Amino acid sequence: MKRLRLIVLGIFLSVSGLGQAQSKLSEYLAVIDALDLEDLRATMLQTSDQGLNPKSYWTDEMEWTYLRGGAWSPTLKTQANQNYLRLLQDVSLGMVNPELMGTDVKLPRKTFVTAKQLNVLLLTHGTRAGPLFESFTPQSPPYLALKESLKRISSYCNQNEWGAIPAVKKVLKLGTKNSALPAIKNRLRQLGYKVPSVDDLFDGQTLAAINDVQWMLRFKPDGVISPNGKTWKYLNVSCQDRMRQVRLDMEKMRWFPQIFEDRYIFINLAMSYFSLVDKSKGSLYTMSFRTINGRPTRKSPTMKDKIVYIIINPFWVVPPTIFREDKLEDIRNLMPWEISYYFDSHNYEVWNKSFTRRIDPSTIDWWRMDPNADTQIFIRQRPHYMNALGVLKFMMTNSYAIYLHDTNQRELFAEPQRLLSSGCVRVERPLDLAEYLLQGTPWTRDVIEKNTAKPGEVLDRETRVSLKQPIPVYMAFLTSQLSSDGVIRFAEDSYNQGHRLLQRGAW
């Protein structure tokens, strides 16, 4: 019990000394003590729906004591109060502090309600543990979709309907008949794919589903299930492992606000996918398309921000990391007489650190430059259609130089593997996004298109246009997702966030 008490104290110790933390904890526990033990027990035993482990709150030892007449035990009630408080903290803030997750998670730890606020909520919900708990659960659409995914998969687990997929000894493809196909097709149906019959024929509906699975595996679909291949392994993941995957994603969503705004952008970094939702005017408007985001060595961060303005025809200033790791190496592979042509052909310029003086690149000794020293120069690319940022840049407020933008490699959106960028997010339909975001301003679609650089055109200035209303942007690396077509899809944990969460005590 002492260990559990220290866990509960942790949230308060981060903002106060031990004495203050003890005092605050006592205030919270005094509020919760008004709850009935039976009610507390029932609530804690039903937390699996929220992706939490009931036995972390109502332990086997507590159940043993309860069943042996411990319902009147003050010690059991005290422990239940403490565990319930921890439950409220875990479901509303997350079990793991996002600030401890590493550089690819840039979210501050949320704050918990005060004891006075908790008391108001308690009275509002009729001094009932269940309704009070529900009031702390996240209500954002991505979280609720994950919750539904967990419900679906756990029902198959509980009914022993998610069995192992039989091994296949030969390649399965369209037109093949095989005894393993009924199990494969049933698994596809469990995931939500429209596979009408569960027989031994590899039919067209099965082919479409397998192609979609292979897209999620980030390789170009060939419609083939190979013995012990990636597709077969994807389908054969156990329900327990899939549930764990969903639970870990639910944990990530607890780091975000409990309720999303009526108008927001959500980017699933694991699946390189963009969604915009707007129900602020009474009707639902959505926009979705593919993205290209950070490779595992240069991860796009999990974060919340907002787009506040758009730059039309942006300059691209090469970030220090890309300068050190990419551009400097490219330049050093050139002969001295090739330097000027390299810069001119890419529309690159060299500027001093304060951008007050332009420097001739052929006068710089690139080969003796220390890549690890604080750079005193910057490479900047002039605005043009093939600029690295394309013709549109969607600016946010963070200090990490993370933003959304067009790209000069537009063909890469047709690729299943789109973890390719250096951290920023490239968007597939920048003109559509700009048109939507600039509604209510003079910048209509026609005006935007007339002012963006055309192929072969190189400009000397960029244009900044403020949004009439900034839009929140949520970015999260979710490896599981219930899509609008009813299919539960899974992606590889390329950022290794799941492993780090498990190491830090999630589930």
Side-chain angles (χ1 to χ4, degrees):
M1 183 175 299
K2 183 178 180 181
R3 183 179 66 85
L4 290 172
R5 186 176 178 84
L6 289 174
I7 292 173
V8 177
L9 271 171
I11 190 71
F12 307 112
L13 281 169
S14 63
V15 294
S16 61
L18 180 59
Q20 289 178 306
Q22 290 280 4
S23 175
K24 287 185 177 182
L25 176 59
S26 297
E27 292 176 13
Y28 283 95
L29 293 176
V31 173
I32 291 173
D33 196 48
L35 292 168
D36 179 70
L37 179 63
E38 298 272 357
D39 198 13
L40 289 170
R41 173 179 174 270
T43 300
M44 288 189 274
L45 288 175
Q46 295 173 5
T47 54
S48 58
D49 290 348
Q50 299 292 340
L52 300 170
N53 184 358
K55 291 189 177 183
S56 293
Y57 307 99
W58 188 267
T59 66
D60 289 339
E61 182 181 355
M62 292 171 70
E63 181 69 2
W64 185 89
T65 303
Y66 175 82
L67 293 175
R68 283 155 181 77
W72 304 106
S73 167
T75 302
L76 181 60
K77 182 61 166 67
T78 298
Q79 187 173 4
N81 290 347
Q82 293 176 3
N83 289 9
Y84 180 77
L85 174 59
R86 180 163 56 87
L87 171 63
L88 297 183
Q89 294 167 354
D90 287 352
V91 80
S92 60
L93 311 181
M95 293 175 281
V96 176
N97 184 348
E99 296 174 359
L100 305 178
M101 278 292 292
T103 56
D104 62 311
V105 177
K106 299 188 182 301
L107 287 168
R109 177 76 153 170
K110 294 190 297 185
T111 56
F112 194 58
V113 297
T114 65
K116 289 183 178 179
Q117 291 169 331
L118 180 62
N119 189 51
V120 171
L121 289 168
L122 178 74
L123 297 174
T124 301
H125 292 92
T127 319
R128 295 293 308 279
L132 178 61
F133 168 70
E134 289 294 329
S135 73
F136 279 84
T137 62
Q139 298 298 313
S140 66
Y143 182 89
L144 294 177
L146 290 167
K147 183 181 175 183
E148 179 61 27
S149 300
L150 182 64
K151 179 181 177 182
R152 276 173 49 178
I153 297 173
S154 62
S155 69
Y156 294 127
C157 281
N158 295 337
Q159 297 171 35
N160 294 317
E161 295 177 355
W162 189 288
I165 303 296
V168 297
K169 298 181 180 179
K170 62 179 183 178
V171 169
L172 305 183
K173 57 184 179 180
L174 184 64
T176 301
K177 285 193 172 185
N178 189 278
S179 59
L181 279 165
I184 290 172
K185 294 171 81 169
N186 186 56
R187 178 59 40 79
L188 291 170
R189 292 178 71 172
Q190 290 171 330
L191 292 173
Y193 291 101
K194 303 300 185 288
V195 180
S197 62
V198 184
D199 54 23
D200 64 352
L201 176 65
F202 197 125
D203 53 23
Q205 292 90 346
T206 304
L207 175 63
I210 292 300
N211 283 341
D212 185 80
V213 165
Q214 292 176 341
W215 186 269
M216 295 311 304
L217 288 166
R218 301 195 182 111
F219 67 85
K220 286 194 174 179
D222 57 14
V224 167
I225 303 175
S226 302
N228 205 37
K230 286 186 175 181
T231 307
W232 180 86
K233 290 179 179 177
Y234 179 100
L235 297 172
N236 197 40
V237 174
S238 71
C239 63
Q240 294 294 337
D241 286 341
R242 286 305 190 202
M243 285 198 298
R244 182 182 300 111
Q245 196 170 346
V246 176
R247 289 176 186 129
L248 292 173
D249 284 340
M250 293 174 76
E251 170 68 6
K252 298 172 193 177
M253 291 310 304
R254 294 185 190 106
W255 300 334
F256 291 96
Q258 182 188 30
I259 299 173
F260 282 8
E261 298 83 351
D262 286 341
R263 176 176 173 269
Y264 66 89
I265 288 169
F266 184 80
I267 300 171
N268 187 336
L269 300 170
M271 300 190 181
S272 299
Y273 211 74
F274 170 107
S275 299
L276 183 151
V277 175
D278 186 351
K279 52 183 179 179
S280 61
K281 298 175 183 177
S283 59
L284 178 64
Y285 172 83
T286 61
M287 179 189 301
S288 59
F289 48 75
R290 296 170 184 170
T291 66
I292 294 168
N293 48 275
R295 66 193 78 167
T297 54
R298 297 178 186 173
K299 303 176 181 69
S300 296
T302 293
M303 62 188 295
K304 181 195 175 186
D305 204 338
K306 58 185 176 182
I307 297 174
V308 292
Y309 64 92
I310 297 173
I311 296 178
I312 299 174
N313 304 315
F315 285 98
W316 178 51
V317 178
V318 178
T321 300
I322 297 178
F323 175 76
R324 290 193 305 268
E325 299 179 8
D326 298 339
K327 296 303 175 188
L328 189 56
E329 182 179 351
D330 291 344
I331 295 169
R332 285 173 170 175
N333 287 328
L334 301 173
M335 301 303 291
W337 57 85
E338 296 177 306
I339 295 294
S340 293
Y341 175 77
Y342 171 82
F343 275 81
D344 291 343
S345 63
H346 288 84
N347 296 299
Y348 287 151
E349 303 170 338
V350 181
W351 289 82
N352 64 351
K353 193 173 183 179
S354 59
F355 281 90
T356 57
R357 180 171 59 90
R358 185 173 170 181
I359 303 169
D360 183 347
S362 65
T363 64
I364 299 172
D365 190 343
W366 302 97
W367 296 269
R368 292 187 180 181
M369 184 178 293
D370 182 0
N372 297 312
D374 183 24
T375 181
Q376 297 301 306
I377 62 169
F378 279 101
I379 297 175
R380 187 175 76 171
Q381 189 176 38
R382 293 170 66 191
H384 64 295
Y385 184 71
M386 295 304 289
N387 180 287
L389 304 182
V391 296
L392 290 166
K393 181 180 179 183
F394 303 86
M395 291 301 297
M396 299 194 287
T397 66
N398 65 82
S399 60
Y400 315 114
I402 297 296
Y403 45 82
L404 281 57
H405 64 88
D406 182 21
T407 176
N408 61 348
Q409 296 177 302
R410 299 168 180 92
E411 72 282 357
L412 294 180
F413 290 108
E415 298 295 322
Q417 169 56 281
R418 299 192 304 281
L419 299 180
L420 301 169
S421 83
S422 294
C424 288
V425 177
R426 309 174 198 173
V427 295
E428 184 180 24
R429 291 163 47 193
L431 284 170
D432 291 346
L433 179 59
E435 178 186 18
Y436 164 81
L437 294 179
L438 294 178
Q439 287 178 354
T441 75
W443 288 85
T444 63
R445 175 66 171 255
D446 185 55
V447 173
I448 295 169
E449 290 183 343
K450 284 181 179 178
N451 282 274
T452 53
K454 309 304 182 288
E457 183 181 13
V458 181
L459 306 177
D460 289 315
R461 69 181 184 89
E462 58 185 22
T463 301
R464 171 174 168 166
V465 184
S466 295
L467 271 61
K468 192 171 183 180
Q469 179 185 2
I471 185 168
V473 178
Y474 298 91
M475 294 166 51
F477 195 88
L478 303 183
T479 64
S480 52
Q481 176 176 290
L482 174 60
S483 304
S484 58
D485 60 1
V487 176
I488 303 173
R489 293 179 171 88
F490 297 94
E492 182 183 354
D493 187 10
S494 304
Y495 285 11
N496 200 35
Q497 284 188 356
H499 178 69
R500 282 180 278 152
L501 276 171
L502 291 172
Q503 283 185 317
R504 287 161 177 78
W507 255 84

